[in-house]
Amino acid sequence: MSTANQAGAAVSQRWPRIGNRSKRVLPGFGLSLGISLLFISLILMLPLTGLVMEVSAMSFDQFWFVITDPRVVASYKVTAFSALAASLFNGIFGLLLAWVLVRYEFPGKRLIDAVVDLPFALPTAVAGIVLATLFAENGWYGQWLSKLGIEVAFTPVGIIVAMAFTSLPFVVRTVQPVLEELAPEDEEAAVSLGASDGLVFRRVIFPSLWPALLTGVALSFTRSLGEFGAVIFIAGNMPYVSEVTSLMIFVRLQEYDYAAASAIASVILLVSLVMLFAITLWQARYLKRIEGR
Amino acid sequence: MTITVDGINKRFGKFQALNNVSLDIPEGKLTALLGPSGSGKTTLLRIIAGLESADSGRVSFSGKDVTKLHVRDRNIGFVFQHYALFRHMTVAQNIAFGLDSLPRKQRPSKADIQKRVGELLEMIQLPHLANRFPAQLSGGQKQRVALARSIATRPKILLLDEPFGALDAKVRKDLRRWLRNLHDEFHFTSIFVTHDQEEALELSDQVVVMSQGNVEQVNEPTELYARPDSRFVFDFLGQVNVLSGEVKHSRLTQGSAWVTIPGIEHQGNAQLYLRPHEVRLATAPAAHANLPLRIEAVSLIGSEVRVELRPEGWESEGSDNIWEVGISHAEFNQQRPTRGDLRYAVPEVGHLFTGKDTQPVTVNWDEADLSPRIRLIN
């Protein structure tokens, strides 16, 4: 309670003129804020409220029973593990891609830059079918991988591939602008002080990048938690082995058990929200330090 | 350490940034690279540092060729105009960076590094800010930290790229004085880039004037001011008044203005350059000069009264067509020149450029001695 009051006080100190129309220089505050709030309410908050309402119709025991069903719990594990693997992979590969796109000039750079957004533009089901075809035992990649004894399609590995595919742009697009803004002088200063390339990256470039990188990875992770279209075509969907949580929600919906579907969905929602909030808070603290606010 | 630059060429696309530049920078001296923007001064500094590579030519430190040596192995201190402090490190961590970066065998112990950082913080008079982050410092403080950081590993050479360019006038002056003391104490061989003539002349032991990728002149500040080698250097170092005209029978004429140039043999085009303090203002023309001017503005601020005048019946060279003359406050109180008054400029010493010659001839009109003399410098 007291922290809420303090936060309120801090806000009113920073913007002492809220509501004071005569002194505001930038016009349209009331209108634009109003429209934004309405939009957020209609598009974001209302469906979420519906979800919460659906869940609140259940008793806690019912709720607990649904979300701790062994098959559902297995799906949590599969989803969380795959999403973690996919987002870590994207963290590394996305950083590399962003680095190459910002730091080097080469023919076809524009094209690659555009292609990065493809997973966002492509219907995820299409992506899932394409990946399943490629990695199937007789597919282009699958036939070579199977010779090495690696099976991707219809296994948990396939889930990781699908998740990584659909959420790669998050990392690239959050890291890219930060990389572009890095002052070359910082690196020059470090090198003139005798630092090796590795040290420059570790101690000068990476500390500036990693708030953005972490955000990208977190976005990639939360997106992967809910990924459905791309995953179900390649996952194989074997109970306890390769079923993701979003599939469990879908199954419940097909059984017309809306309450159970909402209950499982609320778990995913909660995890995603907590994670995004935690990262935003942490990032604000870190940025406050280096920006001196 | 002496620095020798030999036949450096550098091109950015179609732009020739440096054109066969050769220079000797003496050991332990503070040298200024002075020039307008686009003159190549920063490029030259960056090539000396190794942050940029030359298309051709050589750089050597005390006779040792370092042209191909990487910047990290050149052991130089480099200070940037915008400080380039590491934002996510504290002041102390910033200063320690160079020492932390040394290869393990040469790296001092943690305690020694801490001690050295403490010394440097004392030296820049900011020990109380050791744990602050750069964003919490003022511009002047940041630049001091940047300086401390650059000299933490005790380099023999200190290179500064417009080190005071981003600071306001007062801090600039303080920091200049402080840098001069620092230099005198540690005996680096230092080079700093500036486009500020006053800064270059005040701070340095030697000034290198550059223009369009060429070195125009190298000399000590006082000599440079007194004896500029070319029209460019003359123009660039402070205010100058120019009478451009034709010489005929020892007289330089343009419109209603004329000046007798004693002993001159040249006929044809010539320009007479006069500094504001080399001219007096009189109410009647002198025997050797008729330079009518009308007063446009009088500025009383400063140790001298600055009078701006517009030529009457002739034209000055330069876009603003204005002459500037400095008179003492005593003179001002005596004469009370006001806007709109007609005055005659009386040159006492002048610098004559004839034809295509780049070197000026100094002309002395000694009024006590009625036979004027001409003196050749260089």
Side-chain angles (χ1 to χ4, degrees):
Chain A
M1 193 61 205
S2 71
T3 48
N5 281 341
Q6 277 167 4
V11 166
S12 61
Q13 262 178 3
R14 262 174 78 186
W15 292 289
R17 281 173 196 164
I18 277 187
N20 187 347
R21 280 157 184 272
S22 60
K23 285 188 181 165
R24 188 174 298 285
V25 177
L26 208 62
F29 172 72
L31 188 66
S32 55
L33 184 69
I35 291 176
S36 306
L37 286 180
L38 180 72
F39 183 81
I40 286 176
S41 308
L42 286 178
I43 305 285
L44 288 175
M45 299 316 279
L46 202 61
L48 291 181
T49 315
L51 181 85
V52 175
M53 298 254 300
E54 196 71 46
V55 172
S56 64
M58 306 167 86
S59 73
F60 182 77
D61 287 343
Q62 280 176 316
F63 177 75
W64 190 251
F65 179 75
V66 169
I67 66 168
T68 54
D69 177 77
R71 196 169 148 198
V72 175
V73 171
S75 83
Y76 296 151
K77 287 184 186 155
V78 170
T79 309
F81 174 78
S82 310
L84 190 69
S87 55
L88 288 181
F89 173 82
N90 279 349
I92 296 164
F93 186 64
L95 175 61
L96 184 73
L97 198 55
W99 179 268
V100 168
L101 285 175
V102 172
R103 288 304 171 102
Y104 306 109
E105 289 302 323
F106 53 90
K109 177 170 156 168
R110 288 268 188 87
L111 188 70
I112 293 183
D113 200 20
V115 164
V116 166
D117 283 330
L118 207 59
F120 279 172
L122 208 63
T124 50
V126 174
I129 292 167
V130 169
L131 289 174
T133 315
L134 283 179
F135 284 102
E137 228 171 302
N138 52 2
W140 288 355
Y141 299 166
Q143 55 181 324
W144 298 107
L145 289 171
S146 66
K147 278 180 191 157
L148 299 170
I150 303 170
E151 271 186 74
V152 175
F154 316 121
T155 68
V157 183
I159 302 178
I160 299 175
V161 171
M163 285 177 170
F165 177 86
T166 50
S167 64
L168 176 68
F170 281 114
V171 177
V172 180
R173 293 297 181 229
T174 48
V175 171
Q176 213 174 3
V178 180
L179 256 181
E180 270 164 5
E181 266 180 44
L182 275 190
E185 285 95 47
D186 284 13
E187 285 160 61
E188 287 176 350
V191 176
S192 78
L193 290 165
S196 62
D197 289 339
L199 199 68
V200 173
F201 186 79
R202 255 193 356 261
R203 289 202 58 200
V204 177
I205 298 174
F206 196 66
S208 309
L209 279 189
W210 87 292
L213 183 64
L214 195 70
T215 306
V217 170
L219 285 172
S220 164
F221 179 78
T222 48
R223 167 68 202 256
S224 299
L225 284 185
E227 184 53 52
F228 178 67
V231 171
I232 51 163
F233 288 101
I234 196 174
N237 306 324
M238 302 221 314
Y240 299 99
V241 178
S242 54
E243 271 184 338
V244 291
T245 309
S246 49
L247 179 68
M248 298 314 300
I249 300 171
F250 183 69
V251 169
R252 292 290 175 273
L253 283 176
Q254 289 212 309
E255 293 162 356
Y256 300 104
D257 190 350
Y258 295 123
S262 303
I264 300 171
S266 68
V267 173
I268 296 271
L269 180 68
L270 196 70
V271 171
S272 302
L273 277 183
V274 166
M275 208 171 112
L276 289 179
F277 267 121
I279 284 182
T280 308
L281 281 181
W282 172 86
Q283 211 181 29
R285 267 182 52 192
Y286 186 83
L287 289 179
K288 187 177 164 188
R289 207 170 68 179
I290 61 178
E291 280 163 18
R293 268 187 276 128
Chain B
M1 255 183 188
T2 59
I3 302 171
T4 313
V5 169
D6 190 15
I8 293 279
N9 280 291
K10 178 73 182 177
R11 212 169 233 296
F12 294 110
K14 282 187 177 161
F15 177 67
Q16 184 84 34
L18 291 172
N19 187 14
N20 198 23
V21 169
S22 297
L23 257 186
D24 279 308
I25 309 285
E27 175 157 6
K29 290 275 166 30
L30 185 52
T31 301
L33 294 182
L34 174 67
S37 55
S39 59
K41 54 195 193 302
T42 293
T43 307
L44 181 59
L45 189 80
R46 290 172 60 86
I47 286 173
I48 292 171
L51 292 171
E52 205 96 56
S53 60
D55 298 338
S56 62
R58 278 163 19 105
V59 178
S60 34
F61 295 166
S62 288
K64 186 174 158 255
D65 190 345
V66 297
T67 316
K68 298 230 159 59
L69 204 62
H70 192 276
V71 49
R72 75 167 63 96
D73 303 316
R74 289 195 189 185
N75 193 22
I76 46 120
F78 199 98
V79 175
F80 295 82
Q81 179 177 4
H82 296 290
Y83 331 120
L85 293 178
F86 308 129
R87 295 187 305 162
H88 54 278
M89 293 184 205
T90 61
V91 166
Q93 285 169 337
N94 263 286
I95 296 175
F97 188 88
L99 296 164
D100 287 340
S101 302
L102 287 171
R104 191 155 302 179
K105 278 183 193 159
Q106 293 156 267
R107 196 188 310 158
S109 70
K110 274 227 167 94
D112 284 346
I113 290 179
Q114 243 175 12
K115 197 168 142 248
R116 173 89 180 122
V117 170
E119 284 167 18
L120 287 160
L121 280 166
E122 287 292 336
M123 187 198 81
I124 60 171
Q125 295 151 14
L126 300 173
H128 55 291
L129 300 180
N131 294 317
R132 293 278 184 88
F133 286 92
Q136 298 166 296
L137 307 183
S138 71
Q141 291 170 335
K142 281 187 204 169
Q143 198 55 297
R144 285 183 201 212
V145 174
L147 260 160
R149 182 179 68 177
S150 69
I151 61 174
T153 52
R154 303 179 203 275
K156 299 261 175 18
I157 292 171
L158 186 60
L159 305 172
L160 308 104
D161 183 12
E162 304 237 10
F164 314 120
L167 303 169
D168 61 56
K170 174 84 176 64
V171 180
R172 202 175 241 244
K173 221 166 185 177
D174 284 351
L175 217 53
R176 255 191 231 170
R177 207 167 299 141
W178 181 77
L179 176 66
R180 183 69 236 188
N181 293 338
L182 186 80
H183 176 87
D184 293 343
E185 197 175 323
F186 290 93
H187 297 290
F188 308 110
T189 302
S190 315
I191 307 179
F192 76 102
V193 161
T194 181
H195 60 261
D196 183 334
Q197 302 87 341
E198 208 187 304
E199 191 168 287
L201 295 182
E202 183 189 313
L203 197 56
S204 62
D205 301 310
Q206 172 184 288
V207 181
V208 177
V209 184
M210 296 187 65
S211 128
Q212 296 177 337
N214 295 299
V215 171
E216 291 284 335
Q217 191 174 356
V218 182
N219 215 332
E220 291 165 27
T222 46
E223 281 295 295
L224 190 73
Y225 188 74
R227 299 186 228 303
D229 257 357
S230 61
R231 290 173 174 86
F232 173 80
V233 176
F234 216 115
D235 259 338
F236 193 63
L237 293 179
Q239 176 68 33
V240 66
N241 306 311
V242 184
L243 171 67
S244 178
E246 291 274 321
V247 181
K248 229 181 225 170
H249 311 303
S250 312
R251 178 175 276 196
L252 175 64
T253 314
Q254 191 227 112
S256 64
W258 55 262
V259 176
T260 310
I261 314 284
I264 189 170
E265 280 164 24
H266 172 83
Q267 305 277 325
N269 275 336
Q271 288 89 34
L272 183 65
Y273 279 60
L274 301 157
R275 294 270 184 220
H277 61 86
E278 292 170 337
V279 181
R280 272 190 304 117
L281 288 180
T283 46
H288 66 273
N290 177 43
L291 295 164
L293 299 143
R294 205 165 281 284
I295 296 176
E296 282 262 308
V298 180
S299 165
L300 286 167
I301 293 175
S303 50
E304 249 193 350
V305 178
R306 201 160 49 89
V307 185
E308 286 181 16
L309 310 103
R310 188 170 293 280
E312 183 94 348
W314 56 285
E315 291 215 338
S316 165
E317 197 157 272
S319 55
D320 56 355
N321 195 28
I322 287 281
W323 272 37
E324 211 180 284
V325 177
I327 60 172
S328 70
H329 282 272
E331 267 177 287
F332 171 80
N333 288 332
Q334 224 172 23
Q335 299 186 7
R336 289 274 157 195
T338 43
R339 179 197 293 245
D341 285 359
L342 190 68
R343 283 290 187 279
Y344 295 87
V346 181
E348 293 175 330
V349 185
H351 312 267
L352 190 74
F353 290 94
T354 49
K356 287 212 167 83
D357 282 1
T358 52
Q359 302 246 334
V361 171
T362 301
V363 190
N364 241 315
W365 296 272
D366 197 335
E367 283 198 295
D369 173 5
L370 280 173
S371 62
R373 300 161 305 170
I374 184 159
R375 195 153 56 90
L376 268 164
I377 304 295
N378 296 324

